Amino acid sequence: MALNENPRGRVRRTAVILLAFVAILVVGALALNWFERTRSAEQEYAVYSAYLSEGILNDPHDWSVGPSIQVVIEDRTEARATLRWWLMYSMDGRVGFEHLQPTTRLSFAFRNLFQTRLQSKIQLPGRARAVLASMSEIEATDFQQRFPHNMGYIAISGVGFNRDQTQAVFYIDHFCGLCGGGRYVTMEKVNGSWHVREEHYTWIS
């Protein structure tokens, strides 16, 4: 009878049920993350390329110094992007980006459940070159020698897209010595090209 069941047996059964539930959640999260990365892979690098290219061409303070530019990018997506998104969303209404579609928000959350490795697919204009670097390379004492034409380094999240991939949102941190900033960026695809619609800074120095 259930009333006479060994307490240890109940504990073991409860533990097994909880572990199975956690395993299902993890597998589901992995599947959703994989789906978002797979369906958006090509457009994700188009968004990165468009955003950084626009900054290089139009923002001399942050990006455009010297005859050549190395845009040093951490080689893994920003792990804190999703947590920061939900914390800021609940505390700061401006991060809500009222124009964002629900599918864009969900895509961003699923895409950034886990860190993923970036690929060398970011295309920049003329004298600029994107360089992927590990955090150990970025933090090394020979960073300036290894990347002599850098403008600091950036860390970027994965990109969230709406269903037809005409709207995008991502997070970027730019560290450049004594200056820098972090912001969420929304972009829209117009006539086949990605353009910035809105930026919201979460920190600046």
Side-chain angles (χ1 to χ4, degrees), residues 33-169:
N33 178 262
W34 175 86
F35 175 77
E36 279 304 313
R37 285 188 289 121
T38 301
R39 86 173 181 100
S40 306
E42 181 180 345
Q43 287 302 309
E44 185 165 64
Y45 287 96
V47 165
Y48 294 146
S49 299
Y51 179 76
L52 294 173
S53 295
E54 185 171 321
I56 288 166
L57 294 172
N58 301 314
D59 188 354
H61 176 267
D62 281 348
W63 302 105
S64 304
V65 176
S68 61
I69 304 168
Q70 287 179 313
V71 180
V72 181
I73 305 168
E74 186 179 351
D75 64 356
R76 291 182 177 274
T77 54
E78 175 84 84
R80 297 163 294 175
T82 302
L83 177 60
R84 188 182 283 120
W85 168 267
W86 292 118
L87 289 175
M88 292 297 296
Y89 184 80
S90 63
M91 297 172 61
D92 188 341
R94 293 173 297 173
V95 182
F97 293 125
E98 292 181 359
H99 60 278
L100 278 187
Q101 298 175 21
T103 51
T104 313
R105 301 174 192 273
L106 288 173
S107 172
F108 178 84
F110 294 147
R111 171 64 182 87
N112 290 288
L113 287 171
F114 306 99
Q115 267 193 312
T116 54
R117 188 175 294 278
L118 295 171
Q119 300 179 42
S120 300
K121 294 183 177 181
I122 298 176
Q123 303 297 316
L124 301 179
R127 59 196 176 90
R129 183 168 65 93
V131 182
L132 298 181
S134 67
M135 184 50 65
S136 61
E137 291 176 312
I138 290 170
E139 293 177 340
T141 56
D142 64 345
F143 176 81
Q144 295 298 333
Q145 289 72 38
R146 190 189 297 260
F147 309 106
H149 304 294
N150 74 83
M151 294 297 294
Y153 78 94
I154 65 172
I156 48 181
S157 74
V159 182
F161 292 94
N162 63 345
R163 189 184 304 274
D164 57 1
Q165 297 187 331
T166 57
Q167 185 180 76
V169 62

